Amino acid sequence: YIGVWPRDPFTRSSKITQAVSSCFTRPFKFEYSSGRVGSIYAPEGCPDLCVNLVRGILNSLQITIKKSQNVYELQEAGIGGVCHARYVIQEDRKNSRIFVTKTVDSTNCQEKVEKSVGMAYIYPCPVDMMKRKAYQRASGFLLQAKAVRQRARLITEITSQQVRQISPFSEPTGVAVTEARQQLTLLEVRSERSSAPDVPMQSYGGLRYHFPAVLPQMPLQLIRTKNPEQRIVETLQHIVLNNQQDFHDDVPYRFLEQVQLCRITSAEFLESIWRQVSDKLRYRRWFLSAVSVSGTTEALKFLKTRIRNDDLSYIQTLLTVSLTLHLMKADEHTLPLAADLMTSSRIQKNPMLQQVACLGYSSVVHRYRSQTSACPKEALQPIHDLADEAISRGREDKMKLALKCIGNMGEPA
């Protein structure tokens, strides 16, 4: 389904259906014992989407049965982490069936599986967090099983529903709600054992959701990504031609589209577009802004080349470095590129550019350290070198800058 409910009519998305359907042409295996899902096996190179879909299905099979209690609560491992679960078990002795109702409070989890994008500088207020939660989610499962032999049960049907509510700014008109449903029904039981597929299988871990490494599209809008180079040029033309005097109403939408297209474009494609717009002031301004905000490794490579080749004016370099370092994705691939950018001769020649670049780079390191337990020494070395040089030359201004950068990185000064 695509569209905004309830305004838009129900529209099937055949491409999404096709992508999901292709996952189930692959063989999967999993370990299951006493209501617990163990390791999940899939062919080598299986996409994260497919494995996560299987995790979503198998998550319904994760149950904890206590023989001595009919109502109980516990912390249970699942796709979203170790979360608070409440069980109610009812037995229908006449029909030899039991009904297991499980509700999971996904906001009350240990080792929660979640990823926040663009939140490294945001710290929630403890008072507000106690009053209300901006993001609430809960899941409900109804499992039916019948007796097949003494002390053994066969799961015949599982119905599950998950509801998520988000209200980040305490909206007076209500909250945004997403709802997902799933139903599994046992159709038949076969006694013969099927032959194992002749495909090399590997373990992809257990039920815990795995985030793909590729930076996903922003949820604000999804765009078609076919032929991105041509789309970037067309979007640039629309923005420039419709915003000669005042901003057009669709500028935010078009600019976000431009950012998304830059995120999936290689450095070579960006170079090709640059050759087309470098001598057109309005075009290059919008193009540089979109590339700077996109925050990808390829975008950083492109911008580093522009600065080293002295293709940008002082003001353009200042804005580009500031935007890029504060909005780029911080990972093991971008850290060395950001360090190269900070230590480039063009940046080091100008005190203001050096200050902006050093503070921006230390913020990149801070974001990287906020999402990993260990930070490589190589990432910290450029700032330590700055401090050593300032001390050896007796430069008080550089000492102050180095201390600010060390504070930005989260290190004890």
Side-chain angles (χ1 to χ4, degrees):
Y1 171 74
I2 53 176
V4 179
W5 182 89
R7 183 184 66 202
D8 296 338
F10 179 85
T11 305
R12 291 188 180 278
S13 178
S14 57
K15 291 186 177 180
I16 294 178
T17 302
Q18 184 179 0
V20 171
S21 300
S22 65
C23 292
F24 298 108
T25 60
R26 309 166 187 265
F28 290 91
K29 296 191 302 183
F30 66 96
E31 299 170 351
Y32 192 66
S33 176
S34 302
R36 299 288 182 173
V37 177
S39 297
I40 299 171
Y41 298 87
E44 296 179 0
C46 187
D48 290 323
L49 169 66
C50 299
V51 181
N52 283 330
L53 282 172
V54 173
R55 288 189 175 106
I57 295 172
L58 297 181
N59 187 57
S60 302
L61 298 173
Q62 181 88 338
I63 56 174
T64 303
I65 301 296
K66 291 189 176 183
K67 299 177 182 179
S68 59
Q69 296 176 263
N70 290 332
V71 179
Y72 50 91
E73 300 180 9
L74 48 80
Q75 295 290 115
E76 185 180 75
I79 193 171
V82 181
C83 302
H84 182 266
R86 186 175 190 272
Y87 280 84
V88 176
I89 300 178
Q90 299 172 305
E91 187 172 1
D92 182 1
R93 296 181 180 275
K94 182 178 180 181
N95 297 309
S96 300
R97 292 181 180 272
I98 63 169
F99 298 88
V100 180
T101 303
K102 180 176 77 168
T103 56
V104 179
D105 180 5
S106 301
T107 58
N108 181 11
C109 297
Q110 302 169 0
E111 305 173 21
K112 187 182 297 184
V113 182
E114 65 179 7
K115 187 173 186 179
S116 299
V117 179
M119 302 285 285
Y121 302 141
I122 297 177
Y123 299 91
C125 174
V127 177
D128 290 342
M129 293 297 288
M130 290 176 64
K131 289 180 180 178
R132 57 183 297 276
K133 294 182 178 179
Y135 186 37
Q136 300 185 15
R137 51 198 183 273
S139 304
F141 302 85
L142 176 60
L143 181 146
Q144 297 184 35
K146 67 177 182 179
V148 290
R149 58 182 181 274
Q150 188 177 10
R151 302 185 66 183
R153 297 288 189 270
L154 178 66
I155 298 174
T156 58
E157 186 175 343
I158 301 175
T159 303
S160 62
Q161 181 182 19
Q162 184 178 80
V163 177
R164 296 173 180 252
Q165 296 180 342
I166 181 169
S167 179
F169 306 113
S170 186
E171 289 78 359
T173 56
V175 297
V177 180
T178 61
E179 182 178 333
R181 300 176 184 176
Q182 182 175 263
Q183 184 168 2
L184 303 176
T185 305
L186 178 66
L187 298 179
E188 62 176 322
V189 178
R190 297 179 181 177
S191 57
E192 68 272 13
R193 180 182 293 272
S194 59
S195 58
D198 189 18
V199 177
M201 307 282 277
Q202 71 178 53
S203 173
Y204 284 83
L207 277 180
R208 288 176 63 89
Y209 183 89
H210 176 74
F211 289 99
V214 179
L215 190 67
Q217 284 201 37
M218 289 180 291
L220 298 174
Q221 62 181 23
L222 297 177
I223 62 171
R224 299 184 184 277
T225 55
K226 186 178 181 181
N227 197 355
E229 183 180 358
Q230 182 181 346
R231 292 283 304 281
I232 288 176
V233 175
E234 292 173 353
T235 307
L236 269 175
Q237 290 176 344
H238 178 87
I239 291 175
V240 172
L241 295 177
N242 289 279
N243 295 278
Q244 298 291 346
Q245 300 297 328
D246 298 324
F247 281 114
H248 196 268
D249 290 343
D250 70 345
V251 168
Y253 174 85
R254 291 291 186 175
F255 184 73
L256 286 176
E257 181 179 0
Q258 184 88 327
V259 172
Q260 286 293 83
L261 291 168
C262 290
R263 282 184 168 176
I264 59 172
T265 305
S266 66
E268 291 75 17
F269 269 177
L270 294 175
E271 290 282 353
S272 174
I273 299 169
W274 172 254
R275 288 192 290 268
Q276 300 177 50
V277 304
S278 59
D279 58 344
K280 303 173 183 177
L281 183 60
R282 291 180 180 273
Y283 283 82
R284 67 185 268 159
R285 177 167 63 87
W286 284 102
F287 178 61
L288 284 172
S289 297
V291 175
S292 301
V293 173
S294 61
T296 62
T297 305
E298 296 298 305
L300 191 56
K301 289 179 182 177
F302 166 78
L303 294 171
K304 189 179 73 169
T305 303
R306 299 280 69 74
I307 292 172
R308 286 198 165 180
N309 292 348
D310 209 9
D311 292 334
L312 308 181
S313 67
Y314 167 74
I315 294 297
Q316 286 177 334
T317 304
L318 188 66
L319 293 174
T320 298
V321 170
S322 179
L323 276 175
T324 301
L325 293 179
H326 283 285
L327 297 176
M328 61 178 277
K329 182 183 180 183
D331 58 26
E332 63 275 9
H333 304 296
T334 56
L335 275 175
L337 293 172
D340 279 349
L341 177 64
M342 184 194 76
T343 56
S344 63
S345 58
R346 171 73 192 281
I347 299 296
Q348 296 299 313
K349 288 178 183 177
N350 188 290
M352 180 57 71
L353 288 177
Q354 184 188 32
Q355 183 174 347
V356 169
C358 290
L359 291 173
Y361 174 76
S362 59
S363 297
V364 174
V365 176
H366 167 76
R367 295 201 303 276
Y368 180 76
R369 294 183 68 171
S370 70
Q371 62 191 15
T372 182
S373 57
C375 185
K377 292 182 179 180
E378 294 79 9
L380 308 175
Q381 196 60 46
I383 302 301
H384 292 170
D385 292 343
L386 174 67
D388 292 340
E389 182 184 359
I391 293 172
S392 64
R393 295 187 177 185
R395 295 285 303 272
E396 185 178 344
D397 57 336
K398 295 295 178 66
M399 293 180 194
K400 291 179 179 178
L401 176 60
L403 288 174
K404 289 179 180 178
C405 293
I406 291 172
N408 271 0
M409 294 189 299
E411 279 199 302

